[in-house]
Amino acid sequence: MPAPRTRQQNVTAAQWAANGGLGATDLTESIDYYGENVFSPAVQKERLSKDTFKRLTQAVANGEGLDVDLANEVANAMLEWALEKGATHYTHWFQPLTGATAEKHDAFFDPQPDGTAITEFKGKDLIQAEPDASSFPSGGLRATFEARGYTAWDPTSPAFILENPNGALLCIPTAFVSWTGEALDQKIPLLRSMDALSKAAVKAVGLLGIEAEHVYASVGPEQEYFLIDEQYFYERADLVNTGRTLFGAKPPKGQQLDDHYFGSIPERILAFMMHSERELQRLGIPIKTRHNEVAPNQFELAPIYEGSNVGADHQQLTMQILQNTARDYGLVCLLHEKPFAGVNGSGKHNNWSISTSKANLLDPGETPHENLTFLFFCAATLKAVDRHAALLRATVANAGQDHRLGANEAPPAIISVFLGSELTKAFEFIASGIGEGKTPKETLDLGTALLPVLPKHGGDRNRTSPFAFTGNKFEFRALGSSQSISLTNTVLNTIVAQAIDEMSAKLEPMLEAGTSLNEAVLTVVKDAYVEHRRIVFDGDGYSDEWSAEAEKRGLLNLRTTPEALPWLTNPQTVELFEAYNVLSERELEAREEILFEQYVIKLNIEGETTAQIARTQILPAAVRHLAELKAAGHEALISETTELLQELFFAIEKLESANEIHEDDTIVREADYMRDVVVPAMAAVREVGDRLEKIVADDLWPLPKYWEMLFIK
Ligand code: ADP
Ligand code: MG
């Protein structure tokens, strides 16, 4: 008999200072640390010659490549700076199609014939590298015989230093591309989409009488996460292998009390937050807010918004730093979309807007003219989301998300847009008003009268809407907590670019024909709104009435990942993405295939882990429990346990055989098989396992329980 599981661990976990790292870094020391680990424009200015700095800034602004001389000078300055920061290695840091980040480290030294070594980092090392990247998934973009892929420096996202207790690493954000020029990463399409959006929007604002050289897409992602004591994490094969609990009976106390949301933050957690925020800020990541979330032990942080590309890089780093720092406090940060059944899962809100260097184009503003601009871009966003709702849904699909979307805790799987009553009224007026032959003057007056009363900041607390207008930005709330935000923003930028172009194409001839700007814009806005108003919904997205109503409106309800993913290669997607040079058909196919693959692999790991825990941990615990009951001779309890044991055994066998068979002729069929056969078989095993948890002697139960993981901090 193994030693019985005692609750001693809980006491250790609760005394967190013992295993936490508080005191390792004195955070109370007030120093100017923001951005200290970033090779920022300020550092560049300080360390490069005036001329070099100017040439670099220009090249970056114009999206041009760097010549060898310039690259050498920048590399030199970067090397010097990195060495001072204690770096010994550099890496081309990139985002392969797995959605994670990848690094391959190279030392700065170069051995010499005399047996010594010199420190070196050349311009060519900065600009390009050829990692042996044959093992990254390419979704068929790259056969093994042509496995070469290049990483290429993205100077628009600044280099930074990642620290480790034993040294430091210079990280150079890069794009990852096959030798045939196809994007093997998340960054390239994102950059292309930013260009597409800028081009379309610059033209549109020009028609609206605003001068701008560039239009930028901005993103402010709010990240939700759980923290649990690392003790429990490492005691559970399911958390270690899959990131979520595959077993666990409902605890007596869950989130019913609603006492966690915005509650005061426990000391240990706050210490962790302060430390991780400090690390993020040292990397120039503008983390601004933190709070408790709805579920016990669930938290959220959010940065000040940045451009799509830098924002996406910073989001990846945020996830990494949260996970690393947690360990210093004896905690593990769970980024899975659904770590605990019956408890809210974690998402990521993608706040998105577009602006010129002077103004946010989605800000309703104070004057009629600003209103016109706002109405134009707001209507373009509605048009884009309505037409490509299924594609947006596809960008947030993964195995973890299948537990959340539509489960009355996250937005429904049906994509709709929340405008709020004031704004909806304004659009409805424009839709009907003009049709009734109002003069442009009157319309303008009403447009002015209606819009300034818009609640500027987040009057909206309709948490059930997946895509909500929140004052001066749209908030796409359906992303999963573990996901990269790159693909979603790539899609958003591209679909809105298309909508803007279509509206400009109607606006331009009207203006040329002498129609007033007011009348022309309101006509174009009206047409877009009338055509796409079915996407607008301000009510309760969790209600059954909405599902029925949405179906009537022809809005899709793509409940699971295998239903959503094919929209990545739907003909209308391919046509759009090829037209805007954001992703070719092959590049889209590759992404779809990899996402399908990941879905299947993840569920397969979950299926096997469930079977293993059930057979090697839960079944033996139940058998021991039964033996004790038999020794005690209590017939009623013996028969209760015997029955459950039999049920468990039966369910395990069913799952084991489901795990063995694979409908693997195509990845799509395999995904359906996982969803329709393996997932229900796992659920059946869990269901019996959770019932056993409630009757088996506590000291025999092999897994930390929900109440321990969720309430001990
Ligand atoms: P809420 O709880 O209302 O969603 P938060 O303060 O948690 O508000 O998050 C708001 C997020 O929206 C922040 O990350 C913020 O930077 C971001 N945001 C604000 N303005 C913009 C904008 N113009 N473009 C993109 N994101 C924005
Ligand atoms: Mg939000």
Side-chain angles (χ1 to χ4, degrees), residues 56-64 156 214:
L56 176 64
T57 312
Q58 255 165 16
V60 171
N62 302 333
E64 290 159 3
T156 61
H214 281 284

Side-chain angles (χ1 to χ4, degrees), residues 218 220 222 300 302-305 351 353 360 461 463 473 475:
S218 53
E222 302 162 52
E300 179 184 299
I304 294 173
Y305 63 92
N351 294 275
S353 188
N360 180 349
R461 283 291 173 254
R463 292 277 154 190
K473 60 186 157 64
E475 187 170 339

Side-chain angles (χ1 to χ4, degrees), residues 215-257:
V215 169
Y216 308 89
S218 53
V219 63
E222 302 162 52
Q223 173 76 51
E224 292 180 339
Y225 59 95
F226 279 89
L227 291 169
I228 65 167
D229 193 274
E230 62 185 2
Q231 186 122 25
Y232 309 130
F233 180 84
Y234 289 108
E235 278 186 60
R236 294 197 56 130
D238 49 6
L239 283 177
V240 173
N241 286 304
T242 72
R244 76 178 182 103
T245 55
L246 300 170
F247 292 93
K250 201 167 169 287
K253 177 184 172 189
Q255 62 187 55
Q256 318 91 314
L257 288 176

Side-chain angles (χ1 to χ4, degrees), residues 564-643:
L565 289 181
W567 285 88
L568 287 167
T569 50
N570 177 283
Q572 83 165 14
T573 309
V574 174
E575 197 187 316
L576 163 65
F577 278 74
E578 291 212 323
Y580 281 81
N581 289 318
V582 174
L583 284 164
S584 68
E585 181 164 17
R586 248 165 74 92
E587 289 172 323
L588 283 163
E589 279 167 359
R591 277 150 186 82
E592 180 186 330
E593 177 158 337
I594 289 168
L595 289 168
F596 262 116
E597 253 168 38
Q598 287 189 326
Y599 177 80
V600 168
I601 292 169
K602 284 200 173 139
L603 287 179
N604 186 238
I605 295 172
E606 286 190 3
E608 304 223 346
T609 309
T610 303
Q612 242 175 53
I613 292 176
R615 199 182 260 279
T616 65
Q617 293 190 279
I618 295 178
L619 200 73
V623 167
R624 285 180 196 132
H625 182 67
L626 183 61
E628 289 192 13
L629 293 176
K630 283 188 172 159
H634 194 300
E635 286 309 322
L637 291 176
I638 293 170
S639 80
E640 179 191 48
T641 307
T642 308
E643 253 171 54

